[in-house]
Amino acid sequence: MTLLPHQIEIIGYCAAFLTTIAFLPQAIQSWRTRDLSGISVGMYSLFTAGVGLWLIYGLIIEKWPLILANALTFALALSILVIKLRSKG
């Protein structure tokens, strides 16, 4: 199967949209309830760092699907991580 560059970009945007949107319900619930007792600080720290690296990678290779999705997901994940860290102390 041979895809044209714009078809590959569409796949990237669709994947970026779906994975980012899938994260949104957790973020909204976390903001509303402030109950993050079931969330691991270690896992969220690693996840947030990983998303940050995906964002940097997207910036380096200049691919907008990676940049947009990971910028939004990084902001959401970081906000949840901050809430979790503040609630521990």
Side-chain angles (χ1 to χ4, degrees), residues 15-73:
F17 175 78
L18 292 174
T19 56
T20 302
I21 273 311
F23 196 77
L24 200 53
Q26 180 66 57
I28 291 170
Q29 180 180 347
S30 297
W31 296 330
R32 284 185 182 159
T33 67
R34 300 283 191 211
D35 177 16
L36 297 158
S37 57
I39 290 178
S40 161
V41 171
M43 182 285 250
Y44 251 80
S45 297
L46 292 171
F47 177 77
T48 303
V51 172
L53 291 174
W54 274 115
L55 172 58
I56 292 167
Y57 175 71
L59 290 166
I60 291 168
I61 66 169
E62 300 178 351
K63 292 296 180 184
W64 282 103
L66 286 174
I67 295 167
L68 295 174
N70 287 297
L72 180 56
T73 304

Side-chain angles (χ1 to χ4, degrees), residues 34-37 39 41 80-89:
R34 300 283 191 211
D35 177 16
L36 297 158
S37 57
I39 290 178
V41 171
I80 292 170
L81 182 59
V82 167
I83 293 168
K84 177 68 175 179
L85 291 171
R86 285 184 180 166
S87 70
K88 288 192 79 140

